[in-house]
Amino acid sequence: MNRRAAFILCCLAFVVVQTGTCESPDASGTEIDALNRFSLDAEGKLKAFAFDAERFTLSDTSDESVTVNASGKTAVRKTYDALMRLVKRDVWKIASTAKESVRESTETFYYKTEGAYPASSVTEREGRREERFYDDEGRVISRTDFFVDKDGTQIPDTKMTRLYADGNKILEEENSRYEYADEKKSQLAAVRVQKKIYDYAAGEKNPNYYFYEDGTLRIKTIYAQDDAYVTTLYFDDGYTVISEYAAGEKIRETIKNGDRVLRTKKYDTKN
């Protein structure tokens, strides 16, 4: 049995379990049971079913399979390739007439040969575009958001990149935000960058944590144990706030300017 046939059978099995027998309209044309209803085509293949407020339709042509799921004023159309991999996802806003209905977004997935996970994807909506790249395990390693002007020009808005370790642990995450000098975004003024680093070298459950803003260290958390750690906040002009925790409770706070201690406060704890 190929993947497409298995997919159709799974959908049909789901319908049989959920809906039981098919209900038909009464003499007035209204559905006797709108909650539980499905229909088959001339070949006995599942064509559509309804459950509660949702409507689901299926088509199978050439090398593609298409499903449409509608609920309320939203319809989602998914297109699968011959390997039953999702290649496109369209979201529509349903109005009273087909002419007034509009497509809110289209997400397209691109694959390397016969890989199970996409290599990249693009999501397009009015005035916006999002590009994603994935690693071999399907994890997002890069995401870039763009403004799109009336001429179709793509203008960077934000960008995120990630590095992973084993077990889906994030090692690094960098977020960039593009700032422009004018409303038309024709002149780039600055790129603001925030970076998070997670250090699992100590082998503890919680990694040491470092947060950078435009290349400057702002937050550092170092763990001695899972519930014993020190967090340091770094401010401009050499000011720092050092908070010490034990058994998950804050026990001391120290404010410094350079090496000079300005204030120390101890906290009462329950332990």
Side-chain angles (χ1 to χ4, degrees):
M1 181 184 298
N2 60 33
R3 295 186 184 183
R4 186 183 306 163
F7 174 76
I8 301 296
L9 287 176
C10 286
C11 289
L12 182 57
F14 170 80
V15 173
V16 172
V17 171
Q18 294 289 343
T19 65
T21 59
C22 175
E23 300 290 343
S24 58
D26 61 18
S28 66
T30 59
E31 291 180 359
I32 298 173
D33 187 356
L35 295 181
N36 304 314
R37 184 165 179 254
F38 72 93
S39 60
L40 308 177
D41 63 14
E43 297 179 357
K45 296 180 180 179
L46 176 66
K47 182 173 70 174
F49 73 83
F51 183 75
D52 200 3
E54 291 194 40
R55 299 293 183 270
F56 181 89
T57 61
L58 234 139
S59 64
D60 187 13
T61 58
S62 64
D63 290 331
E64 291 185 342
S65 298
V66 177
T67 67
V68 179
N69 183 21
S71 179
K73 295 183 178 181
T74 301
V76 179
R77 183 179 188 268
K78 295 180 180 179
T79 304
Y80 301 84
D81 65 10
L83 298 177
M84 292 314 301
R85 301 177 302 189
L86 180 63
V87 294
K88 184 176 287 188
R89 182 179 184 270
D90 296 308
V91 178
W92 290 78
K93 184 177 181 181
I94 306 301
S96 56
T97 65
K99 187 176 181 180
E100 295 173 331
S101 299
V102 294
R103 182 164 52 188
E104 292 187 327
S105 66
T106 296
E107 187 173 11
T108 306
F109 297 88
Y110 303 92
Y111 296 83
K112 292 180 180 178
T113 61
E114 296 187 358
Y117 299 108
S120 63
S121 66
V122 174
T123 302
E124 296 176 292
R125 55 178 55 87
E126 186 177 2
R128 302 290 296 181
R129 177 184 173 94
E130 179 189 280
E131 296 179 355
R132 294 189 179 204
F133 290 90
Y134 306 84
D135 64 12
D136 292 338
E137 297 182 37
R139 301 174 298 195
V140 177
I141 56 175
S142 174
R143 185 190 71 233
T144 306
D145 292 283
F146 299 88
F147 299 104
V148 180
D149 65 17
K150 294 180 180 179
D151 298 326
T153 302
Q154 299 172 20
I155 306 167
D157 179 19
T158 61
K159 183 176 182 178
M160 183 276 294
T161 59
R162 278 180 181 169
L163 294 178
Y164 296 88
D166 294 337
N168 288 329
K169 295 177 180 178
I170 299 175
L171 288 178
E172 293 184 13
E173 179 178 299
E174 184 173 287
N175 291 277
S176 302
R177 178 169 50 87
Y178 298 81
E179 297 181 354
Y180 296 89
D182 57 326
E183 265 187 46
K184 293 183 178 180
K185 300 178 176 60
S186 60
Q187 184 178 352
L188 182 65
V191 179
R192 305 298 182 188
V193 180
Q194 294 182 341
K195 187 174 185 177
K196 303 173 185 177
I197 297 177
Y198 303 88
D199 181 8
Y200 295 87
E204 301 291 341
K205 178 180 178 182
N206 295 314
N208 294 332
Y209 171 75
Y210 305 86
F211 174 78
Y212 293 84
E213 195 169 50
D214 295 329
T216 300
L217 180 63
R218 293 298 187 184
I219 304 174
K220 178 178 69 176
T221 299
I222 304 297
Y223 285 85
Q225 298 176 351
D226 290 335
D227 60 356
Y229 53 95
V230 177
T231 294
T232 304
L233 306 180
Y234 297 88
F235 298 91
D236 294 336
D237 300 322
Y239 287 92
T240 56
V241 177
I242 304 169
S243 300
E244 301 174 55
Y245 296 81
E249 295 184 279
K250 191 172 185 178
I251 60 173
R252 184 182 292 106
E253 180 182 88
T254 303
I255 300 176
K256 300 175 66 177
N257 181 241
D259 294 329
R260 185 163 62 97
V261 176
L262 302 179
R263 191 189 75 177
T264 299
K265 180 178 179 181
K266 293 183 178 181
Y267 293 84
D268 294 330
T269 62
K270 298 178 181 179
N271 299 320

